[in-house]
Amino acid sequence: KAGVTQTPRYLIKTRGQQVTLSCSPISGHRSVSWYQQTPGQGLQFLFEYFSETQRNKGNFPGRFSGRQFSNSRSEMNVSTLELGDSALYLCASGPGTGGAGSEKLFFGSGTQLSVL
Amino acid sequence: DQQVKQNSPSLSVQEGRISILNCDYTNSMFDYFLWYKKYPAEGPTFLISISSIKDKNEDGRFTVFLNKSAKHLSLHIVPSQPGDSAVYFCAASASGNQFYFGTGTSLTVIP
């Protein structure tokens, strides 16, 4: 089974631009979550999509948005980029249907975004 | 507000000895806990989990202990090997769908 695929691996943007990151989950997984990793901050939860609907949302500004398509692939968009948005963005997939205690996330290798 | 905390940013251990990584949480609704391991330039990979109905779960060299009253969990690696050198994240969940991660502990196993 192919793992979680994130594209692109690296991105360099300038302040004010916008960016779109892509994530293809493991086949059969319907839940896709996005995380931001920065040094000293760990993995900060952005949002989770299940069956094309945003089911959970973290505490990030509205510049961060996402969507999920009918084939479970997901995109994350950041508009009006700021220097502080430089981070590793990780996507994770899971079945999304299990109860508490039965779910675990499978991560992609991430997209390293640098904002200059 | 960091609901899951790993207060040790780094840990160094001799090969063959025990590595103990600690994690504290604040939300008493968390009922499922996981540990992930991350190498540079790769995504985190699942290591071991524990449900709140247990206080210990073992998988080979890895054991996770949960102390619900103290809201504390720990990961023990015995014996530690150089290949275990990585960043370890603990995570917690209340709903099974949203996971809260700690800031990570960088483990170095010295040969």
Side-chain angles (χ1 to χ4, degrees):
Chain A
K1 228 181 197 181
V4 178
T5 304
Q6 289 189 248
T7 55
R9 284 282 276 141
Y10 302 94
L11 264 179
I12 299 176
K13 293 285 187 179
T14 55
R15 276 183 302 173
Q17 287 187 308
Q18 76 162 12
V19 67
T20 299
L21 313 181
S22 180
C23 173
S24 292
I26 290 171
S27 177
H29 284 183
R30 293 162 62 190
S31 169
V32 173
S33 301
W34 288 90
Y35 289 84
Q36 180 195 66
Q37 186 191 2
T38 53
Q41 292 294 313
L43 276 68
Q44 301 288 313
F45 174 74
L46 281 150
F47 27 66
E48 185 237 355
Y49 286 86
F50 178 79
S51 292
E52 302 179 67
T53 300
Q54 188 180 86
R55 189 162 61 173
N56 292 293
K57 187 177 189 306
N59 194 23
F60 276 80
R63 299 186 298 106
F64 292 82
S65 63
R67 59 178 175 168
Q68 187 180 33
F69 301 94
S70 58
N71 61 359
S72 293
R73 191 178 70 84
S74 177
E75 288 183 347
M76 191 191 96
N77 186 74
V78 188
S79 62
T80 321
L81 283 165
E82 301 177 359
L83 295 178
D85 297 333
S86 293
L88 178 67
Y89 290 88
L90 291 160
C91 163
S93 77
T97 54
S102 65
E103 189 90 1
K104 64 176 183 270
L105 301 177
F106 296 83
F107 283 86
S109 297
T111 294
Q112 183 67 53
L113 172 65
S114 297
V115 182
L116 307 177
Chain B
D1 179 30
Q2 196 75 23
Q3 297 190 51
V4 178
K5 300 177 185 179
Q6 293 175 260
N7 293 319
S8 298
S10 62
L11 176 68
S12 289
V13 171
Q14 287 289 133
E15 180 179 3
R17 307 295 286 265
I18 183 171
S19 294
I20 300 176
L21 295 92
N22 294 303
C23 180
D24 297 295
Y25 61 95
T26 57
N27 190 339
S28 57
M29 298 299 291
F30 287 150
D31 57 7
Y32 184 49
F33 305 88
L34 310 90
W35 284 94
Y36 280 81
K37 177 179 175 179
K38 185 179 184 300
Y39 292 117
E42 294 182 14
T45 54
F46 171 77
L47 199 54
I48 192 169
S49 64
I50 188 166
S51 164
S52 60
I53 62 173
K54 293 185 172 182
D55 54 20
K56 176 182 172 182
N57 189 26
E58 207 168 341
D59 184 2
R61 296 185 298 113
F62 302 91
T63 302
V64 56
F65 294 91
L66 175 63
N67 183 333
K68 289 185 291 292
S69 60
K71 294 192 180 68
H72 177 84
L73 65 155
S74 61
L75 174 68
H76 292 209
I77 306 173
V78 184
S80 301
Q81 299 173 353
D84 295 330
S85 297
V87 177
Y88 290 78
F89 291 96
C90 67
S93 169
S95 67
N97 298 313
Q98 183 170 350
F99 293 83
Y100 296 85
F101 282 79
T103 51
T105 296
S106 178
L107 173 66
T108 302
V109 180
I110 304 162

